[in-house]
Amino acid sequence: MPELSSSTYVKIAPDNMSAYLFLGAPSPGEFYSSDQVIEYLKRNGVTTGVIYSNIEAMTKKGVYLREVKIAEGTEIKNGVNGYYEFKFNSEDIARRPVIRSDGSVDYQSMSLIQNITIGDVLAVYHPAVQGEQGTDIKGKVTRPKPAKELPALRGKGFARSEDGMIYTATVEGKVEYKDYYLEVKDVYEVHGDVDLITGKIDFRGDVIISGNVESGVEVRATKSITIGGHVEAAKLTANGDIVIRKGMQG
């Protein structure tokens, strides 16, 4: 078996993630063996990610005097941290009235209440997915950072599935969320007056307004409505009681 030609060389990428072999031609009628080439690669530091099929093709078919990729490292794959997929809007929304086709403004469309009914899915937890380590052609292993899990949600008005992944409402009302604390409340409170800028209130539960309800406002509740001030020419609809502490004008 002839020795490898002195013109043979290995070109290794600066990041050690790939290597190319330039195989000098042997004397006429002679061939190299795959074992020879593999041993040569090891002496030059290429120990991992060797593409044996390319080496086999080079030696059997006599592929000489050109660079052929003969090793490739495995790229590191970063993991994904656990996260919650909320089925409601967990952030504040900028309230914007609807502009009607005639150019007038519908302030009643500006309600921010997110009504929840029993059985609604509030959140789904997606567990962390760990990454995969990378290895260069010299056998150096690079490990990804561990993917982190999030804490379970705390709060009231919901149930958690047996596997801990799905959070479902057990009461109807409005949903509030902050810093892993989730709550479904069956009482909607307004501390102050309700006017057209406040927007229409349409709530599944009890509505309590400490101030006045001005003209043109509509308030709906599946339970009761309690108003601490007076009511002007507004529309109040409730399946339960409607209590107006200071009377109605309109």
Side-chain angles (χ1 to χ4, degrees):
M1 192 69 63
E3 295 291 328
L4 295 182
S5 169
S6 60
S7 62
T8 298
Y9 65 84
V10 176
K11 181 185 289 185
I12 297 176
D15 61 358
N16 292 329
M17 290 302 289
S18 63
Y20 289 79
L21 174 66
F22 180 93
L23 200 56
S27 300
E30 294 183 335
F31 294 91
Y32 303 128
S33 72
S34 297
D35 290 341
Q36 273 183 295
V37 174
I38 293 170
E39 184 60 33
Y40 176 79
L41 295 177
K42 288 180 180 179
R43 292 200 303 269
N44 284 272
V46 181
T47 60
T48 307
V50 176
I51 306 173
Y52 293 101
S53 59
N54 285 4
I55 295 174
E56 190 78 12
M58 291 179 75
T59 54
K60 284 190 175 182
K61 296 179 181 180
V63 181
Y64 307 127
L65 306 180
R66 67 186 180 91
E67 294 180 353
V68 177
K69 181 185 282 190
I70 44 75
E72 188 170 31
T74 304
E75 295 286 348
I76 187 174
K77 292 183 180 179
N78 292 318
V80 179
N81 291 332
Y83 66 96
Y84 283 100
E85 177 188 359
F86 293 103
K87 299 299 184 178
F88 58 91
N89 195 306
S90 59
E91 300 178 356
D92 290 336
I93 308 171
R95 294 186 294 177
R96 296 179 181 177
V98 172
I99 307 300
R100 299 188 182 97
S101 58
D102 61 2
S104 60
V105 180
D106 178 13
Y107 287 101
Q108 297 284 4
S109 64
M110 294 170 57
S111 176
L112 283 180
I113 301 173
Q114 298 182 71
N115 281 305
I116 299 297
T117 60
I118 296 173
D120 284 352
V121 174
L122 303 174
V124 177
Y125 182 66
H126 297 269
V129 177
Q130 298 302 323
E132 298 178 11
Q133 68 181 28
T135 309
D136 66 19
I137 62 171
K138 293 188 176 183
K140 181 181 178 181
V141 175
T142 304
R143 292 180 172 81
K145 293 181 179 179
K148 298 179 180 179
E149 299 286 4
L150 293 179
L153 298 181
R154 302 170 290 109
K156 301 175 183 177
F158 61 85
R160 189 179 175 195
S161 61
E162 289 186 8
D163 61 6
M165 303 300 168
I166 301 175
Y167 295 77
T168 306
T170 55
V171 298
E172 64 177 12
K174 68 170 182 174
V175 60
E176 293 184 357
Y177 172 78
K178 185 177 181 181
D179 297 334
Y180 304 112
Y181 187 88
L182 178 66
E183 184 173 3
V184 181
K185 294 182 176 180
D186 60 359
V187 176
Y188 182 72
E189 294 187 66
V190 178
H191 300 285
D193 297 337
V194 174
D195 53 22
L196 288 176
I197 301 302
T198 305
K200 179 175 67 176
I201 296 176
D202 189 352
F203 184 64
R204 293 182 177 276
D206 295 309
V207 174
I208 300 175
I209 301 169
S210 65
N212 305 317
V213 177
E214 299 184 5
S215 296
V217 172
E218 183 176 355
V219 180
R220 293 175 176 269
T222 59
K223 294 184 179 180
S224 64
I225 298 174
T226 302
I227 299 169
H230 65 265
V231 177
E232 297 179 3
K235 183 177 181 180
L236 308 179
T237 305
N239 291 340
D241 296 330
I242 297 178
V243 178
I244 304 172
R245 302 292 185 191
K246 295 185 179 179
M248 184 171 184
Q249 301 170 353

